[in-house]
Amino acid sequence: MNSAISIENIKKTLGNREVLKGISFTVEKKDIFGYLGPNGAGKTTTIRILLGLLQADSGKLNILGQDINLSETRMKIGFVLDKDGLYDSMTAEENLKFYSRIYRLSEASVKFDKLLRMVNLDDRAKDKVSTYSRGMRQRLTLARAMVHDPEVLVMDEPTAGVDPSGQIEIRQIMLDVAHRENKTIFLSSHNLDEVQRICNRIALIDRGEIKLYGNLESLRQKMGRGGVVIKTTKIIPESLLAELKKLTYLGLKERKEKSLIFSPRKGTGVSDIISFLASRDIKIEEAVKREASLEEMYAAILKEAEPS
Amino acid sequence: MKNIRLLIIASIGNNLRLKTVGIVFIIVTLVIAALLVILFCILLIEPAVSTASPDRADLELYLGLIMYSTCFLTLGVNLNSYGFQSMTREKTRGNIESLLATPIKIKDIWIAKGLAIFIPGLVIGEIFTLITLIAVNYIYFIPGTGFIINPWIVVNSFIAAPLVYLCLGLLVYLIGLTGKPATGNIIAQIFLPVMINIVIQLILHTNILTSTSWSFATANIGLALVIIIITFFLQPRLTKEKIVLSC
């Protein structure tokens, strides 16, 4: 059993709205799994189902091969929800101690100092949480999620509302947790840059359906939405530009001063573009193959999904 | 049980640390309770004491009414203000949702949180009631009559009234937890004046349900039972899904 989370054909209707329309995916152990989607796509509902806060109408859900409703399974999951749920009147250390007791751990068995150091809050351990910034609260929530040393961490937009430096700090902590502590991370986010930086596998959900799912690198190749950027020594004349546009197989997308951006069709290589330009006496300074960014893939999929 | 105890201690500690709320609650309750006691003393005790030969039974009846009302009012104000505030805060800030994602049982959360909002009111209510007992006896001390007290006054004020509010607190917390906290609060707000009015009418205008009788204690226990039965029938609503979707 290598999968940490296995979801199979999960459906959920809330009120009259079918929020999840039979979603399926698997998160392998030690994955940092990015769960992307626009607002209202069903991300939070999925997380709530994963944590046993909502019951799926149909489908199968397994966490580490077990039912989520077992208290034994809950002991193996840490969570960061959209609302932090911290006790403002308690200090950081008291919040962690409170949750350690909830998980029935003896205080001696939990290394609170280590946890607070891990999230860079060791110097503020005795301060009340009400005095913390949003970023500090999120870091403390991360420490709280780790208090019982879970195998899987489920996080709902942990960097939302945090300033850029705070986001970098939280991302670094997540990476440390995943790599040093060998945890599986399920990260729901709409921060594409964040997902691109730290996740190895992703699923994209839109209107309750999984639109894209798999390894980020292979998805890029599969989607084939990369392109070729060709820098020329002089600005391309308009007449040639019109000619290039007519050759749809070359897939000219954009011109920026001396640069041309192509998204060639399958079967058309960089060499075809270069030879065409050379035949028109255009000198090429540089030709770079560019991979599709997650943002481009995301935008393309959401555009495809738009009702015509 | 261990989890319930842990949650009660944490919740009470957390509520008490919100000093402003605590101080405002105590001051408001003290003012309302003092006004009520003064009003009852002027309307009931003063005329009874002013007679040539004060009747001890009458004085006990009036004192019982004052003590019961003081305790009932304090518990009511606590549930309406402190309890409601605590419930709303914990739901909106995600404390409840976070607890639901842990191995802790949903019923443990409900009972613990219900008790956590009841206990501070109980402590303050009992203290105010005790102060009322001593103050009224001190102010209206009649050498021939002595210290006015009756076992049923103690039972009704210190046990029966809190029992009703304990059951009501659990019901209100159940409703607030699975729906909007304001719905629970409305029930508590309607309950307080209606009950005080009924109690005054019963005590002053009937000879059976008096504040110095066992029948009044039985009526309170009966009311508590009715609330428990309603709570029992509403218990199936207590699901994680209902709570989470109402947060």
Side-chain angles (χ1 to χ4, degrees):
Chain A
M1 174 65 67
N2 269 329
S3 68
I5 300 170
S6 165
I7 278 189
E8 207 181 311
N9 203 22
I10 292 280
K11 289 182 183 174
K12 180 71 188 171
T13 301
L14 293 173
N16 295 325
R17 200 165 74 92
E18 196 177 9
V19 184
L20 299 178
K21 300 168 183 169
I23 59 163
S24 303
F25 59 80
T26 307
V27 180
E28 303 299 333
K29 280 184 181 168
K30 296 178 192 175
D31 263 356
I32 305 183
F33 190 90
Y35 195 53
L36 285 161
N39 289 334
K43 297 194 298 291
T44 300
T45 304
T46 311
I47 283 193
R48 284 174 166 173
I49 288 173
L50 277 178
L51 293 173
L53 298 172
L54 295 180
Q55 294 298 316
D57 296 337
S58 63
K60 281 184 192 166
L61 163 66
N62 273 307
I63 309 262
L64 299 161
Q66 293 173 313
D67 181 358
I68 180 60
N69 294 312
L70 295 172
S71 105
E72 191 192 328
T73 317
R74 285 170 191 274
M75 288 296 288
K76 295 175 183 171
I77 305 175
F79 58 86
V80 174
L81 296 172
D82 54 345
K83 292 175 197 162
D84 58 47
L86 294 167
Y87 289 94
D88 276 8
S89 56
M90 291 186 187
T91 66
E93 200 174 74
E94 284 169 343
N95 266 285
L96 295 187
K97 281 184 179 169
F98 173 69
Y99 270 87
S100 73
R101 286 185 213 122
I102 294 277
Y103 285 104
R104 297 187 178 184
L105 304 167
S106 67
E107 281 189 17
S109 68
V110 185
K111 290 171 182 157
F112 298 108
D113 293 350
K114 189 187 159 198
L115 281 171
L116 289 165
R117 218 175 16 253
M118 183 185 82
V119 295
N120 305 323
L121 284 173
D122 43 337
D123 55 332
R124 299 285 305 267
K126 307 279 180 202
D127 290 350
K128 279 189 179 179
V129 172
S130 56
T131 64
Y132 281 18
S133 67
R134 171 83 181 151
M136 289 164 76
R137 292 178 78 99
Q138 285 302 85
R139 280 186 274 141
L140 179 59
T141 318
L142 262 167
R144 186 191 65 186
M146 295 282 294
V147 88
H148 54 299
D149 196 22
E151 289 178 46
V152 179
L153 282 168
V154 177
M155 302 189 196
D156 195 1
E157 299 184 13
T159 55
V162 179
D163 63 55
S165 65
Q167 288 186 13
I168 294 167
E169 215 170 344
I170 291 171
R171 262 178 236 144
Q172 193 52 51
I173 295 164
M174 285 195 279
L175 282 170
D176 285 350
V177 166
H179 297 141
R180 284 191 207 159
E181 314 265 336
N182 288 326
K183 309 289 181 202
T184 306
I185 294 182
F186 181 89
L187 171 71
S188 156
S189 177
H190 46 221
N191 187 335
L192 299 171
D193 181 50
E194 177 176 281
V195 170
Q196 193 161 249
R197 278 167 196 267
I198 70 169
C199 298
N200 59 326
R201 299 206 318 136
I202 63 156
L204 193 152
I205 184 171
D206 183 42
R207 289 166 222 193
E209 288 175 81
I210 299 288
K211 300 285 183 190
L212 189 70
Y213 161 57
N215 181 292
L216 197 50
E217 287 312 310
S218 56
L219 283 172
R220 275 194 184 118
Q221 285 165 12
K222 192 174 140 193
M223 295 281 296
R225 288 180 195 275
V228 179
V229 182
I230 293 187
K231 281 186 185 169
T232 55
T233 52
K234 58 179 183 182
I235 292 173
I236 307 284
E238 288 299 323
S239 57
L240 180 58
L241 210 62
E243 203 179 336
L244 276 167
K245 277 180 187 167
K246 280 179 192 164
L247 303 169
T248 49
Y249 65 95
L250 293 180
L252 177 68
K253 282 178 78 180
E254 220 181 318
R255 180 186 71 171
K256 279 182 188 167
E257 294 181 357
K258 292 177 188 173
S259 292
L260 293 168
I261 302 167
F262 295 90
S263 183
R265 275 191 196 163
K266 236 178 185 175
T268 307
V270 184
S271 57
D272 297 321
I273 303 169
I274 293 172
S275 22
F276 176 81
L277 291 172
S279 70
R280 299 291 187 277
D281 288 334
I282 301 292
K283 285 184 183 162
I284 294 163
E285 209 173 78
E286 192 182 29
V288 183
K289 210 170 175 187
R290 195 180 59 112
E291 281 188 325
S293 70
L294 183 56
E295 196 174 339
E296 283 168 319
M297 285 157 62
Y298 184 92
I301 285 164
L302 293 188
K303 199 175 173 186
E304 276 168 20
E306 266 175 22
S308 48
Chain B
M1 273 310 281
K2 206 175 170 184
N3 277 338
I4 293 178
R5 206 175 65 224
L6 170 68
L7 278 176
I8 291 173
I9 294 166
S11 300
I12 291 178
N14 197 46
N15 290 345
L16 291 181
R17 281 180 215 202
L18 298 164
K19 284 178 189 143
T20 323
V21 181
I23 291 166
V24 168
F25 159 64
I26 291 171
I27 291 172
V28 168
T29 314
L30 186 64
V31 169
I32 296 174
L35 285 173
L36 182 94
V37 173
I38 291 166
L39 190 72
F40 279 167
C41 284
I42 293 169
L43 292 175
L44 303 169
I45 305 261
E46 284 253 1
V49 172
S50 307
T51 54
S53 52
D55 186 349
R56 188 185 167 91
D58 277 352
L59 290 173
E60 280 179 1
L61 183 80
Y62 299 145
L63 181 66
L65 174 63
I66 292 170
M67 283 174 61
Y68 181 88
S69 302
T70 307
C71 191
F72 206 84
L73 188 93
T74 314
L75 287 160
V77 174
N78 171 67
L79 188 63
N80 289 343
S81 58
Y82 212 54
F84 172 64
Q85 220 244 2
S86 152
M87 193 197 316
T88 310
R89 195 179 55 241
E90 294 211 330
K91 277 188 90 170
T92 51
R93 293 191 177 184
N95 301 88
I96 299 284
E97 197 175 343
S98 294
L99 285 173
L100 290 171
T102 67
I104 210 160
K105 283 179 189 157
I106 188 168
K107 274 187 188 166
D108 289 358
I109 297 174
W110 163 53
I111 293 170
K113 297 283 176 186
L115 287 173
I117 59 169
F118 167 74
I119 291 169
L122 175 71
V123 172
I124 295 165
E126 305 268 86
I127 292 170
F128 280 4
T129 311
L130 194 65
I131 291 169
T132 306
L133 172 69
I134 296 164
V136 172
N137 266 290
Y138 176 76
I139 295 164
Y140 297 102
F141 180 74
I142 306 159
T145 314
F147 195 86
I148 309 163
I149 191 74
N150 173 305
W152 288 112
I153 292 179
V154 177
V155 171
N156 287 325
S157 308
F158 291 100
I159 300 168
L163 184 70
V164 171
Y165 254 100
L166 170 63
C167 300
L168 185 72
L170 288 172
L171 173 67
V172 163
Y173 207 88
L174 176 80
I175 293 167
L177 199 60
T178 53
K180 287 179 184 165
T183 315
N185 194 41
I186 288 167
I187 293 169
Q189 276 185 352
I190 293 169
F191 188 84
L192 178 66
V194 168
M195 267 303 290
I196 292 227
N197 193 26
I198 289 172
V199 165
I200 293 170
Q201 298 304 324
L202 283 174
I203 290 174
L204 296 180
H205 302 296
T206 69
N207 292 323
I208 308 160
L209 289 171
T210 61
S211 56
T212 53
S213 68
W214 63 270
S215 53
F216 188 67
T218 313
N220 275 284
I221 292 165
L223 178 62
L225 270 173
V226 169
I227 299 170
I228 285 285
I229 291 166
I230 296 169
T231 312
F232 178 78
F233 281 109
L234 288 176
Q235 239 193 37
R237 284 170 55 95
L238 196 65
T239 61
K240 287 187 180 183
E241 185 146 335
K242 271 211 173 287
I243 298 172
V244 168
L245 294 176
S246 70
C247 282

